[in-house]
Amino acid sequence: MVLKKNGLAFVMTLCAVFILSLPVYSKSALNTLSELEWENRLVLVKIDDSDAVLALFNKYREAIDERHIIWFVQNHNQLLSNYPGELSKSLKEEISRYTTESDLANMILIGKDGYVKSRNNGLNIESIFEQIDQMPMRRYEMQQQAN
């Protein structure tokens, strides 16, 4: 009987040592926009005055969250986002390439499938919501929420 208790204590001690020796991982930095595919829609904005855009996004935070939108605002050399983790240097470069591809558009909407849905000059958040709400995946999401 003593051997069983000691054997159990030994196993428990080994388990505790194993668990405590595991590395603690934090969420790694976001490296590419493709990591967000099938989970989020993306809004990329390039603008000189980010304060107005941030205020707009803050005002519509609930609607943005409901539509699974991750936004990125590029202001000169600064990149701001509602993404909860770190943004890697390679991601910042990728977003910069997207936003400099077209001088005609300073707002790009990317669907959950990873394809560009629209490029606009100017940011009309309600128009973005309307466009998203017409997407098949969004219609399905709304139907699921209603049930």
Side-chain angles (χ1 to χ4, degrees):
M1 186 73 150
V2 173
L3 188 55
K4 284 186 180 180
K5 284 184 181 178
N6 288 342
L8 181 59
F10 178 74
V11 170
M12 289 178 65
T13 302
L14 278 178
C15 287
V17 168
F18 176 74
I19 290 170
L20 292 174
S21 67
L22 290 174
V24 177
Y25 292 102
S26 61
K27 188 168 188 162
S28 61
L30 184 63
N31 293 308
T32 66
L33 294 176
S34 64
E35 293 175 45
L36 300 172
E37 280 182 20
W38 305 113
E39 297 294 324
N40 300 101
R41 295 171 183 91
L42 309 176
V43 173
L44 312 180
V45 180
K46 182 179 182 181
I47 197 158
D48 291 333
D49 180 18
S50 60
D51 292 341
V53 174
L54 296 176
L56 185 66
F57 285 158
N58 191 45
K59 177 180 177 183
Y60 289 98
R61 181 185 316 209
E62 189 175 314
I64 287 170
D65 291 344
E66 181 182 317
R67 289 168 178 81
H68 308 140
I69 296 172
I70 298 291
W71 51 259
F72 298 92
V73 177
Q74 186 177 19
N75 178 0
H76 303 288
N77 292 331
Q78 187 178 22
L79 183 64
L80 307 168
S81 178
N82 64 337
Y83 181 74
E86 276 187 62
L87 307 177
S88 72
K89 182 180 178 185
S90 62
L91 177 78
K92 293 174 184 177
E93 291 168 355
E94 179 182 8
I95 290 172
S96 181
R97 281 192 303 275
Y98 262 102
T99 57
T100 56
E101 277 179 3
S102 174
D103 292 333
L104 302 175
N106 64 352
M107 191 289 301
I108 301 168
L109 172 63
I110 301 174
K112 284 188 173 185
D113 60 2
Y115 290 98
V116 173
K117 303 301 180 184
S118 68
R119 295 176 186 266
N120 297 309
N121 190 15
L123 178 65
N124 182 335
I125 195 79
E126 291 172 359
S127 175
I128 292 170
F129 293 158
E130 288 174 15
Q131 186 174 358
I132 289 171
D133 290 347
Q134 296 303 312
M135 295 176 181
M137 289 182 76
R138 175 65 181 146
R139 286 184 175 188
Y140 176 77
E141 292 166 359
M142 291 187 295
Q143 183 181 22
Q144 293 302 313
Q145 288 174 345
N147 293 337

